Amino acid sequence: MRGLAGIAALAIAVVVQSAIGRLAWQGTVVVGLVLVVVVYLALTGGPVAGLVAGTVGGLVQDALSPGGILGMGGLAKTVVGFLAGRFGTQFIVTATVPRLLTFAAATAAHAVLFMGAYSLLGLRSFPNALTTVAVQAAGNGVLGVVVFTIAEWLPRAVERRRAAGGTRIRR
């Protein structure tokens, strides 16, 4: 059941990210939904879950995005997913600030891998790369914390609702 929820979350992130294009603020990408889901799955499922989610999400996103090399995003997300999962198994990442920093660091690592590969091959240049990475790291960090909060709050709310449902007085 947990694996199906991860696959569904990844599929929804890919579809939404592809449908709305890139959320941009003054030409700078604000969030990477697929990367947020990959890092979330890596932190909750471990390095193998992160590796698989990064590979699948990155390759599907590469296939759906125009004008890129198939596999560049997949490779970057695979490495970041594995490293985030490994980091999550080695350290306690349960508070808000460590989660925010983990998502921000994963975004920065993804940018270094992705932009670095394109730059090394001479296929694309990235003006204002530092600003772009900083804005996206902040956006992904905030979104990642929100996703974690909702994912932890929702099952407890449903359980409370079920428990309270049996004690109601019906008229």
Side-chain angles (χ1 to χ4, degrees):
M1 182 67 174
R2 189 173 174 172
L4 291 176
I7 292 169
L10 196 57
I12 290 169
V14 167
V15 168
V16 170
Q17 187 79 43
S18 297
I20 60 175
R22 293 179 171 245
L23 294 175
W25 174 71
Q26 295 182 354
T28 301
V29 177
V30 178
V31 293
L33 299 174
V34 178
L35 183 61
V36 169
V37 171
V38 167
V39 174
Y40 173 81
L41 292 174
L43 290 175
T44 58
V48 174
L51 184 130
V52 172
T55 302
V56 172
L59 286 175
V60 171
Q61 190 177 18
D62 283 348
L64 295 176
S65 62
I69 294 179
L70 182 64
M72 288 289 216
L75 177 63
K77 283 179 181 62
T78 299
V79 172
V80 168
F82 177 79
L83 292 176
R86 192 74 179 136
F87 181 79
T89 59
Q90 297 296 315
F91 299 100
I92 300 172
V93 187
T94 57
T96 302
V97 173
R99 286 179 178 168
L100 180 83
L101 293 175
T102 301
F103 278 97
T107 302
H110 179 268
V112 166
L113 291 168
F114 184 79
M115 292 177 183
Y118 269 108
S119 295
L120 283 174
L121 294 174
L123 299 173
R124 192 185 301 178
S125 65
F126 296 94
N128 300 326
L130 191 58
T131 304
T132 302
V133 173
V135 169
Q136 189 174 20
N140 285 354
V142 170
L143 183 62
V145 168
V146 168
V147 166
F148 258 109
T149 303
I150 291 171
E152 290 173 345
W153 172 80
L154 193 60
R156 289 186 289 205
V158 169
E159 188 58 37
R160 281 194 303 268
R161 175 90 174 159
R162 284 185 188 157
T167 59
R168 284 193 200 153
I169 299 173
R170 296 183 186 204
R171 297 180 190 195

